[in-house]
């Protein structure tokens, strides 16, 4: 079933000039980029985006990391987009990620893990609306 998901190429990957290579892998995996914007999140935007983690001990460092430099926010589309993106991203901890996954090949740590992808249909709807409100997405 064709669906949309949300993804961020995080500040660590943008700083390391890996964004193009990561995006190429995403496209080679059959995704269509429906919308994309390079942006630098404010601390408040990062806190709003990651609000579900606000009680977790890593919330402060996560939101500081995500607002430390530019990132690439994207809406992606393909059949079973959410599950497939999570498969090609790999485990959150790059040390536990499968060989050939984006995180295994590009991420430095659990926090500096180079890419975010929605984990469920409801999450994708929230995340797409958070970063791309009120615009008509092509496709």
């Amino acid at each position: 079933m064709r669906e949309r998901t949300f993804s961020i190429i995080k500040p660590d990957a943008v700083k390391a000039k890996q964004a193009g290579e990561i995006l190429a892998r995403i496209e080679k995996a059959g995704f269509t980029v429906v919308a994309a914007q390079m942006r630098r999140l404010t601390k408040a935007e990062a806190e709003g985006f990651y609000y579900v983690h606000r009680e977790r001990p890593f919330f402060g460092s996560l939101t500081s990391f995500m607002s430390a430099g530019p990132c690439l926010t994207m809406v992606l589309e393909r059949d079973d987009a959410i599950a497939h993106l999570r498969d090609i991203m790999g485990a959150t901890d790059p040390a536990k990620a499968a060989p050939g996954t984006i995180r295994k090949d590009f991420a430095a740590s659990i926090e500096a893990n180079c890419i975010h992808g929605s984990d469920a249909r409801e999450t994708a709807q929230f995340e797409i609306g958070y970063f791309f409100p009120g615009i008509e997405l092509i496709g």
Side-chain angles (χ1 to χ4, degrees):
M1 174 176 68
R2 198 116 180 115
E3 68 182 359
R4 289 183 174 173
T5 191
F6 177 78
S7 185
I8 301 175
I9 298 178
K10 295 182 177 184
D12 56 318
V14 172
K15 183 177 181 180
K17 301 194 182 308
Q18 298 168 329
E21 207 170 334
I22 292 170
L23 181 54
R25 284 197 188 188
I26 291 168
E27 289 183 316
K28 285 178 184 167
F31 288 90
T32 299
V33 178
V34 178
Q37 184 178 14
M38 185 70 78
R39 62 178 83 214
R40 184 173 183 151
L41 304 182
T42 65
K43 179 81 164 166
E45 286 172 326
E47 289 171 347
F49 180 71
Y50 286 107
Y51 79 95
V52 297
H53 298 303
R54 67 187 171 279
E55 301 300 323
R56 307 288 296 268
F58 59 81
F59 182 72
S61 64
L62 173 62
T63 56
S64 291
F65 164 70
M66 288 301 296
S67 58
C71 62
L72 179 61
T73 56
M74 302 175 289
V75 179
L76 306 170
E77 185 177 84
R78 67 159 276 158
D79 290 343
D80 299 315
I82 295 165
H84 194 70
L85 182 62
R86 299 206 48 93
D87 285 344
I88 68 168
M89 287 188 329
T92 303
D93 182 349
K96 297 177 182 172
T101 60
I102 291 169
R103 287 180 173 148
K104 185 67 165 183
D105 294 342
F106 297 103
S109 68
I110 290 176
E111 188 169 88
N113 64 12
C114 77
I115 190 169
H116 164 86
S118 302
D119 62 1
R121 186 167 286 151
E122 299 77 24
T123 310
Q125 289 174 345
F126 165 77
E127 293 175 345
I128 290 168
Y130 190 83
F131 285 108
F132 296 96
I135 65 167
E136 186 172 328
L137 303 175
I138 61 169

